[in-house]
């Protein structure tokens, strides 16, 4: 798919076909995308945990909270809609000052690679951090404040262009599909 289409399709997805696992090749492609991500000062201080067993995937899911802009009954995936794969993003305590940029670059590479294969994703920061550290055996020198959920989406997520001042909260339309308001380019960019 062309780059612009890929960028438009790479939205946040919160409902997946739980009966359709990712292939080992798909998981490997997502993980390989990390290696090519730029890194501030080339420190490469991030580490990633690939959560592949269904038991661990279920345990990670149980620690997460989804779609803060929606009521829980609409945002939290139900049985059959849950992700089938997670990647935890971990940063070393002595990471460079650019570690948040590094996270964004690595996550962008992984989620774009996934979408190019028809796999949706959701970046989650709302979870029980202490229990996640324990569950995944993350050492004391690292912290995990983001996990990525992956699976084949069963919904659409569409951009709706809005003007400055309009509500930017994402929502579900009458068919239960996600609508994501995005500001017009002239409201985002000042040209000089």
């Amino acid at each position: 798919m062309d780059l612009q289409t890929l960028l438009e399709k790479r939205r946040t997805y919160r409902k997946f076909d739980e009966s359709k696992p990712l292939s080992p090749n798909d998981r490997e492609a997502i993980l390989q995308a990390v290696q090519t991500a730029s890194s501030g000062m080339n420190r490469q201080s991030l580490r990633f945990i690939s959560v592949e067993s269904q038991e661990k995937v279920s345990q990670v899911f149980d620690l997460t909270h989804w779609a803060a802009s929606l009521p829980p009954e609409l945002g939290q995936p139900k049985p059959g809609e849950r992700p089938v794969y997670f990647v935890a993003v971990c940063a070393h305590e002595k990471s460079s000052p650019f570690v948040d940029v590094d996270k964004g670059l690595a996550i962008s590479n992984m989620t774009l690679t996934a979408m190019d294969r028809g796999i949706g994703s959701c970046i989650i920061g709302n979870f029980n951090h202490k229990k996640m550290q324990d569950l995944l055996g993350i050492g004391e020198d690292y912290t995990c404040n983001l996990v990525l959920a992956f699976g084949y989406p069963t919904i659409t997520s569409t951009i709706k262009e809005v003007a400055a001042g309009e509500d930017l909260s994402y929502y579900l339309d009458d068919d239960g599909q996600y609508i994501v308001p995005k500001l017009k380019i002239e409201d985002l960019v000042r040209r000089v």
Side-chain angles (χ1 to χ4, degrees):
M1 110 181 41
D2 71 88
L3 180 58
Q4 187 59 39
T5 301
L6 180 60
L7 292 171
E8 290 170 9
K9 286 186 163 292
R10 206 256 10 111
R11 310 266 27 98
T12 296
Y13 293 92
R14 295 179 184 89
K15 292 183 181 181
F16 306 97
D17 183 349
E18 201 171 342
S19 70
K20 191 173 178 185
L22 271 61
S23 73
N25 286 343
D26 288 335
R27 289 193 310 260
E28 191 60 29
I30 291 167
L31 296 172
Q32 284 288 322
V34 168
Q35 187 181 36
T36 59
S38 297
S39 173
M41 299 162 53
N42 202 34
R43 293 283 191 244
Q44 302 177 57
S45 60
L46 297 177
R47 296 297 180 265
F48 304 85
I49 298 173
S50 179
V51 183
E52 300 175 9
S53 80
Q54 286 312 115
E55 178 184 357
K56 284 282 193 212
V57 167
S58 180
Q59 291 171 338
V60 168
F61 177 81
D62 288 343
L63 298 177
T64 62
H65 305 284
W66 295 59
S69 290
L70 298 174
E73 68 275 8
L74 296 178
Q76 190 79 8
K78 296 169 181 47
E81 301 174 340
R82 296 174 179 166
V84 296
Y85 179 56
F86 281 99
V87 174
V89 181
C90 305
H92 193 273
E93 64 181 12
K94 294 181 181 174
S95 295
S96 84
F98 303 107
V99 69
D100 290 334
V101 174
D102 292 355
K103 288 178 195 175
L105 292 164
I107 288 168
S108 183
N109 277 18
M110 286 188 283
T111 58
L112 285 166
T113 296
M115 187 78 271
D116 194 43
R117 294 167 168 262
I119 300 164
S121 59
C122 184
I123 303 163
I124 304 167
N126 189 2
F127 57 87
N128 186 314
H129 293 258
K130 172 67 175 122
K131 288 185 178 178
M132 190 71 73
Q133 291 275 129
D134 293 342
L135 175 67
L136 299 179
I138 299 168
E140 291 181 17
D141 293 348
Y142 284 86
T143 57
C144 172
N145 63 3
L146 293 171
V147 294
L148 285 76
F150 294 95
Y152 290 95
T154 58
I155 58 162
T156 60
S157 186
T158 306
I159 292 173
K160 175 186 176 189
E161 192 173 69
V162 297
E166 289 188 56
D167 187 3
L168 298 178
S169 301
Y170 56 84
Y171 60 93
L172 300 175
D173 67 11
D174 292 339
D175 295 323
Q177 306 301 312
Y178 278 87
I179 306 298
V180 183
K182 292 289 186 180
L183 291 172
K184 295 178 181 181
I185 192 72
E186 57 267 19
D187 292 325
L188 289 170
V189 177
R190 184 170 65 92
R191 301 174 194 269
V192 293

